[in-house]
Structure formats: structure tokens, C-alpha cells
Amino acid sequence: MDLPHGVAGEAPEGLEVPPALLRALPGETLHPVWLNQLGGRTFRAGDRFAKWMPAEHAAVIEREVARLRWAGQWLSVPRVLASGSDGGGGAWLVTAALPGESAVSARWKAEPARAAAGIGRGLRRLHDALPVEQCPFEWGVARRLARAGRPPDALGPPPPPDRLVVCHGDPCVPNTLLLPDGSVAGHVDLGSLGVADRWADLAVATWSLEWNYGPGLDDVLLDAYGVEADPVRTQWYRELWAAT
Ligand SMILES: Nc1ncnc2c1ncn2[C@@H]1O[C@H](COP(=O)(O)OP(=O)(O)OP(=O)(O)O)[C@@H](O)[C@H]1O
Ligand SMILES: [Mg+2]
């Protein structure tokens, strides 16, 4: 997630390492990588990444572990090496490092059009590769509103689905890893992955380009994905994102 007014971003040097991660990776030096809006933290230790979430959001980790294991059958996503809870209600996850660099890195911020095209191709590959009929996870409108404590009619009726796919669920720029040639090395942050209309992902993926790179790149992503712009579904799913 990376709302325009959010604080998610590169973690400050010296960010405190949760004790559970020190126990999970004994003797390793953990370098801060990312601090999310919920207080969750990600660190790198050699060829592994360790992510920790505080007690109020610990359930995210269990959801993410299940989804990484499932999606990894068809797609390049982090391989889960270990996970657990921290005794204080928090939870953690250790994964094997994927190659590539996050699309929000300085290297890709300097080439936003190539990055946007890579993200579009990668999202198409994700939607094409994951089998909807076998997917045990759902990211439907009713469930999202219920989880956010919003009444089902908070936004008016959703537009009819264009195409049901397995959506990433948090298709923001930082969650795509790109190789130097602009191709996608993999996707991270799959805690919300599930079946939904593909515009639930496309609306937010394009919005996130604006937050991370600036305006004017929506069509680059949509062309690379291979779809015409859909202003009605885009607007509706952005409102849903903001509401949930
Ligand atoms: N296995 C991995 N291989 C490579 N990079 C990784 C891996 N796991 C995490 N990362 C890096 O760490 C960052 C943070 O991980 P992740 O997106 O899972 O955390 P998050 O706190 O849920 O993010 P958000 O703020 O988007 O909710 C990613 O954007 C990516 O750059
Ligand atoms: Mg992320």
C-alpha cells in the first residue's frame, strides 16, 4: 500500500529490529529496507528478507504466507523460508530474496516510462498465469468493505465485472521487482491476493504510478498490459481503495 499521504517508504537507518527477527536470523546483520504505514518493517539479511508486523496487523502475515505458497506454483514470488509469531502478538516472515530492484528504487524513478511498461506487462502476466478456478482466495468488493467496517452500499453498486482474474491485491509500484532490461523479476506483498475484477488491480496500479513517479503514465501501463482505458471502473475501484 502507498497512499499519497502515507508514510510507507524506505526504512530509516537504525530502524529498530524486532527481537523476533533477531531470534529468527541469529548472527545475521539485518539491514532496514522498508517501513510500512501500519508500523510493519522489512529487513534484508544476505539473500533473505524478513518482514515483521505488529500485533494489530499480525494476521496479514498468515494471509501472506498462504498466498505466497499458492501463487509460487505458477509465478515468481518470494519463497517462504520460515514464519512465526513473536510472543507479543506480532508476526514475522522470512523469504528468499528475488533478483531485481523494486520499481520505486532511484534507478527506476529515473526511467519511469520503462518502469511503468514493465509493471503493466508484469501485471498482465500475473493475471494470465494464476488460475481463477483453482484460487482459494477472494478479494471481492463485499469482503473488502466488510473488513474495513463499511456498509455494503458505501460506494453505490460496483460496475459489472470486466474479467475475473486472480488479482495481486496491492499492485502498487514498490511491490514489483524489475530486472535491468525492464522485465519483471517478481511480485512481492501478496497478503491481499484473490479473485476480483481485473480493474480492482488496474485502477490502483495506474494510480500508484502518479504517487510514485508523477502524472501521465496510465496509458503506458495499460498499453503494456494490453487493455483500453476504462474510466468508469478505474474511478470506482480507486474510490473503493480509498474507502478500504
Ligand atoms: N523476497 C524478497 N525479495 C526481494 N525483495 C523483497 C523481498 N521481500 C521484500 N522485499 C522488498 O521489501 C519491500 C517491502 O516488502 P513488502 O512489500 O512485502 O512489505 P510491506 O510492508 O507489506 O509493503 P507495503 O508498504 O507496500 O504494504 C518490497 O517492496 C521489496 O522491495
Ligand atoms: Mg509492499
Side-chain angles (χ1 to χ4, degrees), residues 1 8 33-34 36 42 49 51 78 95-98 102 174-175 177 189:
M1 190 194 302
V33 173
W34 192 256
N36 72 25
T42 299
F49 280 78
K51 173 168 164 177
T95 58
L98 290 173
S102 168
N175 292 334
L177 303 176
D189 212 353

Side-chain angles (χ1 to χ4, degrees), residues 15-218:
L15 183 72
E16 194 196 330
V17 185
L21 295 187
L22 295 173
R23 287 193 295 273
L25 294 166
E28 300 279 353
T29 304
L30 282 91
H31 302 279
V33 173
W34 192 256
L35 176 61
N36 72 25
Q37 291 175 307
L38 308 173
R41 299 160 190 208
T42 299
F43 298 83
R44 182 169 190 148
D47 59 1
R48 289 173 287 181
F49 280 78
K51 173 168 164 177
W52 170 87
M53 291 294 282
E56 316 83 84
H57 305 288
V60 169
I61 296 289
E62 200 180 323
R63 286 206 298 272
E64 182 160 9
V65 168
R67 285 161 174 78
L68 287 170
R69 291 203 168 118
W70 182 81
Q73 299 176 87
W74 297 278
L75 207 67
S76 173
V77 302
R79 188 162 54 87
V80 178
L81 300 175
S83 65
S85 48
D86 71 4
W92 55 271
L93 159 69
V94 176
T95 58
L98 290 173
E101 247 189 299
S102 168
V104 79
S105 63
R107 185 238 183 285
W108 285 111
K109 277 185 167 171
E111 282 190 280
R114 278 185 73 215
I119 292 169
R121 284 192 301 272
L123 196 55
R124 183 58 183 252
R125 190 174 73 186
L126 185 150
H127 289 169
D128 285 347
L130 297 176
V132 180
E133 61 291 346
Q134 291 178 50
C135 183
F137 313 112
E138 183 274 274
W139 194 47
V141 172
R143 172 172 298 206
R144 290 175 64 188
L145 287 169
R147 187 175 279 164
R150 300 293 177 123
D153 58 357
L155 294 173
D162 168 32
R163 186 182 296 179
L164 285 179
V165 298
V166 179
C167 281
H168 180 286
D170 189 355
C172 299
V173 166
N175 292 334
T176 302
L177 303 176
L178 296 173
L179 295 172
D181 69 1
S183 61
V184 170
H187 292 93
V188 301
D189 212 353
L190 300 191
S192 294
L193 175 138
V195 175
D197 185 32
R198 60 183 178 172
W199 286 94
D201 263 356
L202 285 165
V204 175
T206 49
W207 210 11
S208 173
L209 296 176
E210 196 174 320
W211 308 334
N212 287 281
Y213 302 138
L217 292 164
D218 288 27

